[in-house]
Amino acid sequence: MTAPRPLPKSVITRAAKLGFTPPRVVDLNHVGDAPAQGLAAYIAAGHHGTMAWMKETQDRRSHPQSLWPEAKSAVVVGLNYGPEHDPLADLQQSSKGVISVYAKGRDYHDIIKGRLKELAGLIARDTKADVKVFVDTAPLMEKPLAAAAGLGWQGKHTNLVSRDYGSWLFLGVILSAATLTPDIAEIDNCGSCRACLDICPTGAFPEPYQIDARRCISYLTIEHKGPVDLALRAKMGNRIYGCDDCLAICPWNKFAQESAEIKLKANDPDLPDLAMLAALDDAAFRARFASSPIKRVGRDRFIRNVLYAIGNSGDPSLLSAAKAHLNAPDPVVKDAADWACNQLNKPVKKETS
């Protein structure tokens, strides 16, 4: 058996210059069955919703060596995308659209992948072993690997939490055929805290450390293609792409730092007007979100989300923006417009003294 060797210093030095956290290593021969068992239970419960690809890739996703049998080590890095202010405050501006922090700037896949390939090239050069690069685009469970590497731990909301960066880390993984010295896994530091569970507006956490995507606003606004369940629409508020509530409320964010990465900064620091967004045709949608991950949902699904937000705004001046879609060719957009108009036309309940 080949003795493990330390991660080359060239990789550690270059990772820092590329804006990554210090790289951490996992011995893939000692990755337990817990991630695979958790994935199997998640899919068996139907918590993956309409994301059929999760079931289709379950076997390959269960262990990194199922994806690449020659892999012996995983090198995990993070890129801080900490926001400049608390995103929960944006929810108070009901006539504006709230976009998840990660999607306000350039698509993180485009930013990280090139840098990760550069880092992987150094690992391959200095270890003389093959490498493969992953940035949330293949059936690989990055969060359990990041926890095993000591980059953080998976909190009760199932996302990674870091002592140094709170909730705000993009993850990149390099699988290597080299046997590298592993780092120590991080322990769970959530304690008795329930903040992330209790703040979820749709009750997407049936138990701590479990998430039902079918009730998650991030899933509903990004992955879900049809109309959103009537019981959940009013709970979506003005969130039009993703949701940061469970991330933003985490007490560990007191140690978080604002991202220094210019490309991850919001393209427009001001929240967009719902009326303006509702008026976007396909060409305008593509132009506005050309470099953003938002482009992947397409114009009609995005307009559906905007119309739900309009219905939740309580702003009668937005009624005309909703009415403009009552004859939309897409039945889901038409349904959302009809719902929004009905919501805005409801009589305002007067408070009794």
Side-chain angles (χ1 to χ4, degrees):
M1 182 178 290
T2 305
R5 57 176 294 178
L7 192 66
K9 290 183 178 179
S10 60
V11 175
I12 298 171
T13 301
R14 190 57 187 159
K17 291 182 178 178
L18 291 171
F20 290 130
T21 61
R24 312 275 295 191
V25 177
V26 182
D27 181 348
L28 296 180
N29 291 320
H30 290 86
V31 172
D33 295 332
Q37 292 171 353
L39 175 64
Y42 176 78
I43 293 173
H47 289 167
H48 61 306
T50 58
M51 295 182 289
W53 46 268
M54 295 198 74
K55 184 173 178 60
E56 293 165 1
T57 62
Q58 182 177 347
D59 290 342
R60 283 183 294 157
R61 194 178 295 274
S62 63
H63 194 284
Q65 290 172 334
S66 298
L67 190 61
W68 184 32
E70 289 76 23
K72 293 183 175 63
S73 306
V75 180
V76 187
V77 293
L79 183 66
N80 175 33
Y81 72 101
E84 61 184 4
H85 70 274
D86 182 359
L88 293 174
D90 296 341
L91 300 174
Q92 305 305 314
Q93 300 187 56
S94 61
S95 297
K96 307 281 188 176
V98 174
I99 293 169
S100 184
V101 172
Y102 88 88
K104 289 184 175 181
R106 280 188 53 189
D107 192 328
Y108 70 94
H109 298 91
D110 298 338
I111 297 170
I112 295 178
K113 195 161 189 178
R115 300 181 191 185
L116 206 61
K117 284 183 176 179
E118 181 180 341
L119 209 59
L122 291 177
I123 295 174
R125 184 196 70 185
D126 293 352
T127 63
K128 306 296 189 292
D130 290 338
V131 293
K132 291 184 184 294
V133 168
F134 301 90
V135 189
D136 190 29
T137 53
L140 184 77
M141 292 195 284
E142 291 96 343
K143 289 183 288 187
L145 284 176
L151 195 60
W153 68 94
Q154 281 189 263
K156 292 178 182 177
H157 52 18
T158 75
N159 293 296
L160 194 78
V161 183
S162 163
R163 289 176 181 268
D164 299 318
Y165 300 96
S167 304
W168 314 110
L169 279 180
F170 291 130
L171 299 176
V173 177
I174 301 168
L175 297 186
S176 171
T179 302
L180 300 170
T181 305
D183 288 289
I184 300 172
E186 178 63 281
I187 62 171
D188 187 327
N189 290 285
C190 287
S192 60
C193 180
R194 289 183 48 91
C196 61
L197 308 179
D198 294 338
I199 198 174
C200 179
T202 54
F205 301 106
E207 299 286 344
Y209 307 102
Q210 295 181 24
I211 185 169
D212 185 345
R214 296 169 298 183
R215 299 187 65 85
C216 174
I217 293 176
S218 285
Y219 165 82
L220 293 172
T221 55
I222 300 172
E223 299 291 346
H224 183 66
K225 296 180 181 179
V228 171
D229 189 283
L230 286 170
L232 297 177
R233 294 181 190 183
K235 298 177 180 180
M236 294 169 66
N238 58 340
R239 303 168 186 83
I240 58 174
Y241 187 92
C243 177
D244 290 321
D245 290 25
C246 65
L247 300 179
I249 198 65
C250 179
W252 284 94
N253 286 334
K254 64 186 177 182
F255 299 112
Q257 309 160 35
E258 182 181 344
S259 174
E261 179 55 64
I262 299 299
K263 294 178 180 178
L264 293 175
K265 299 288 187 182
N267 293 325
D268 184 351
D270 298 321
L271 297 183
D273 293 322
L274 291 174
M276 179 273 293
L277 294 175
L280 295 175
D281 60 17
D282 190 63
F285 169 82
R286 290 174 180 273
R288 182 177 180 88
F289 299 113
S291 62
S292 164
I294 295 173
K295 65 182 181 295
R296 67 184 285 260
V297 303
R299 181 260 183 186
D300 287 345
R301 201 182 314 173
F302 183 75
I303 295 298
R304 175 204 66 179
N305 298 340
V306 171
L307 288 167
Y308 291 152
I310 286 175
N312 290 327
S313 70
D315 184 350
S317 71
L318 292 175
L319 185 59
S320 59
K323 284 183 175 179
H325 293 280
L326 285 174
N327 294 312
D330 186 304
V332 177
V333 173
K334 183 178 183 299
D335 170 75
D338 184 65
W339 181 85
C341 290
N342 287 334
Q343 292 297 108
L344 291 177
N345 280 322
K346 284 181 178 180
V348 178
K349 293 182 180 180
K350 294 183 179 180
E351 295 184 6
T352 57
S353 56

